[in-house]
Every structure is written in structure tokens, then in C-alpha cells.
Amino acid sequence: MTAIAHYHLPGLFEFYEFYKIFLPLYKNHRDWFYDWCDIASIYGAPEDCLWGGGRTGEGRANAKDVLALMNKYEISARLTFSNSLLTAEHLSDKECNRLCALFENTKIKSGVIVHSDLLAEYLQKNYSRLYLISSTTKVLTDFNDFEAELGRPEFLYVVPDFRLNKSFEKFSALPQIQKEKVEFLCNECCDFNCKVRKACYENVSRKNLGLDVVDHKCTSSLSQGGYRFSLAMKNPAFIGLQDIQEVYLPKGFSNFKIEGRGLGSAMLLEFILYYMTKPEHQLEVREALYLDAMLDLF
């Protein structure tokens, strides 16, 4: 296999302590992991970030420490600034601008995941060295809308709504230059028939703007026990390891996003074991991380 699957992993700030242990392991024992994949980027945002959106986790790591780690292992850092409700007055936020200025001057080019066109224009004008990713929070479920998004030159990548994942005939018809911009969300657990996904994201956006809002309550039976990878695997839109190897890579697609910022690092480890780690080395990866972190389950 000559094609490389580029994974975009969650928790840039949220799982900083995890990555401090995992990335040296990944570098020093590369033979434990599939040679047909790599880590292209890690995405996230500090806790309570005004421009933040999507599903958030607790991210308190120092931004300079985060960038130093990404530079050391030559991995692109991405800021998740996908708030969908930004207005012109929000663009002057000092902390978000400070982060953009910091992330713009990195060894490996950094990116920003955006929803707001207003923010995208602002970033292009003021932080032109940052590349832009069109967020899945736009919930583009119509393929024509998604294809139009792919045609926008300001976006280096576009993440479709997960319910488009298996639209193989339409995806296959795309020219290769657009296939390279598609970044599939692999492990979504949200109900395939959910009608309020956009409202869920907007609720997070309102929270990050400091508005007094009631938490969005998902009524799907799939969400009652919290995120379950085993349930995500049963989702009609799930993209599994075999799908990536036998379907997506041969069709010319190479970018795959793993969600999980709002989960725990134990779940992140399960994603890494499943998507990246050779079965015969999974126990060694677990042992290395558990012992280095002195894991205590209770």
C-alpha cells in the first residue's frame, strides 16, 4: 500500500499530558504502528475560548507548551474556532487573537477550524499563514452544498457531515484535487437520523460567548449512556480501519478526523489502538502508557 492515511486527532489542549507520553512512544516505536498512516494534525482549543465551538473538553495546557510539543514531533496544530454565532464585536477578543499570533509562527504550519465566514475572512486578512478548515459544525448534509464548500479556495480541508460518508458514487466523481480536501469524520456516535445536530453545536457556541443557556439535552437513545465506541461502530456512517484501507485510500481519499475532545484520554487511547496500532503491539502500547502515567482506574 503506497497511499498514506493522514489522521487528525482530538485534544490539542485537552489531552496535552497524554500526548506528552504518547508521542515519544509513537516516534521511538514506529514499528508498533501501521506504516500506511501518520498523525497529520492534532486539534483543540483552550477551555472557555470565545471563538471555540464544536464539542469541547477541558483544555488548560499552556499554549507555548502545546506548540513546543507539536514542533518537536513535527505535527500540525489546529485551533478549533468553530463558533457559529460570532459577530464583528467578537473578533477583537484578545485571547483568541493572541493564540492566532502565536500559532502563526510555528515550525510546522498551523491551522484553524472555522464555521463563521466572518471569522474566516478576518483570519485570512490578519493571520494569513494559518490554513483554514471548514468545520463539520456547518452540518452540510446536502452533497451539492458540500461540493460548493469544496470549491471555496480559502479552505485547505472541508469536513463533511458524517451522514455523507458513504455517498461513494458522488465522492468518487470528484476531481482528485477536491478529494485531497475532504476530511472524513470517522467515529461519530450521534444518531444518523438526528434532526437537531446544528442546534446542539449552536448551544456550545452560545456557552462560549458567555450567554446564559440551558444545556442541550440529546433525546436519542444512543446518547443515554454517553459516548460508546462500540455504538459508534454500528453507526451507518462509521468509517472503520478496513474501510480506510480497502475503500477510501484506493478511491483517492487520505484525510480522516477522529472525534473525542469531550471524552477522556482512555477513550482516545482506544481510538489510537484501533486505527493506528498493529494488533500484536496493542498490549505493549497500553502497558507503556499505563505504567508511564501510573494509571489508576479508581
Side-chain angles (χ1 to χ4, degrees):
M1 182 180 292
T2 57
I4 297 295
H6 304 300
Y7 286 121
H8 305 274
L9 301 181
L12 180 64
F13 290 84
E14 298 87 343
F15 300 139
Y16 169 72
E17 296 297 331
F18 173 91
Y19 286 119
K20 274 205 311 183
I21 299 172
F22 172 72
L23 290 178
L25 180 72
Y26 177 71
K27 179 180 179 180
N28 296 328
H29 296 279
R30 193 64 181 85
D31 58 307
W32 290 2
F33 303 90
Y34 299 121
D35 58 6
W36 52 262
C37 68
D38 63 20
I39 301 172
S41 78
I42 301 176
Y43 65 92
E47 191 176 17
D48 300 324
C49 203
L50 189 70
W51 295 354
R55 296 190 181 130
T56 59
E58 295 183 1
R60 299 187 180 90
N62 180 277
K64 291 183 179 180
D65 292 339
V66 166
L67 279 181
L69 185 66
M70 295 300 102
N71 284 333
K72 180 177 181 179
Y73 293 99
E74 299 185 335
I75 296 172
S76 178
R78 291 180 173 183
L79 291 166
T80 306
F81 284 167
S82 55
N83 194 304
S84 62
L85 303 176
L86 298 176
T87 63
E89 65 180 289
H90 298 128
L91 299 180
S92 61
D93 181 77
K94 291 182 179 179
E95 179 60 17
C96 292
N97 277 281
R98 182 189 72 83
L99 286 169
C100 287
L102 183 64
F103 275 62
E104 191 178 34
N105 295 295
T106 56
K107 177 181 177 182
I108 303 299
K109 200 169 185 180
S110 298
V112 183
I113 303 171
V114 296
H115 180 127
S116 166
D117 285 345
L118 185 68
L119 179 60
E121 293 171 7
Y122 178 81
L123 293 173
Q124 282 187 295
K125 180 179 179 180
N126 294 280
Y127 304 102
S128 59
R129 293 189 66 244
L130 296 171
Y131 67 89
L132 302 182
I133 307 97
S134 177
S135 175
T136 191
T137 61
K138 294 181 180 181
V139 192
L140 301 178
T141 56
D142 184 290
F143 198 89
N144 291 329
D145 294 336
F146 169 70
E147 195 168 6
E149 194 78 358
L150 280 177
R152 296 177 61 175
E154 64 266 40
F155 294 123
L156 190 61
Y157 301 97
V158 179
V159 185
D161 186 86
F162 72 104
R163 285 162 288 201
L164 293 180
N165 283 356
K166 302 300 175 72
S167 302
F168 296 126
E169 185 175 347
K170 294 178 179 179
F171 278 119
S172 296
L174 294 173
Q176 185 58 36
I177 193 171
Q178 289 194 334
K179 288 182 178 181
E180 292 170 4
K181 293 179 69 172
V182 180
E183 186 177 312
F184 289 99
L185 179 58
C186 295
N187 60 329
E188 178 57 63
C189 195
C190 182
D191 191 332
F192 190 85
N193 299 308
C194 177
K195 305 297 183 185
V196 294
R197 186 171 173 82
K198 184 172 287 189
C200 179
Y201 285 132
E202 288 180 352
N203 183 268
V204 176
S205 292
R206 290 189 179 91
K207 282 185 182 179
N208 286 339
L209 293 177
L211 302 177
D212 186 16
V213 294
V214 177
D215 284 345
H216 174 78
K217 298 295 183 182
C218 181
T219 59
S220 169
S221 59
L222 298 177
S223 70
Q224 300 312 302
Y227 183 95
R228 294 289 185 272
F229 194 23
S230 57
L231 288 179
M233 288 180 171
K234 298 175 183 177
N235 194 306
F238 178 71
I239 297 177
L241 185 68
Q242 190 172 356
D243 298 318
I244 292 173
Q245 292 176 290
E246 299 180 4
V247 180
Y248 291 89
L249 286 177
K251 288 181 181 293
F253 299 97
S254 58
N255 288 286
F256 303 93
K257 180 176 183 177
I258 308 300
E259 76 164 25
R261 283 200 302 145
L263 305 175
S265 58
M267 187 60 72
L268 172 60
L269 174 58
E270 290 304 315
F271 298 151
I272 288 173
L273 292 171
Y274 174 79
Y275 281 106
M276 299 181 62
T277 312
K278 296 175 183 177
E280 63 269 25
H281 293 295
Q282 289 181 0
L283 181 57
E284 290 168 290
V285 173
R286 282 194 180 95
E287 287 176 333
L289 288 169
Y290 290 171
L291 293 174
D292 283 351
M294 296 298 291
L295 178 70
D296 187 355
L297 291 176
F298 300 98

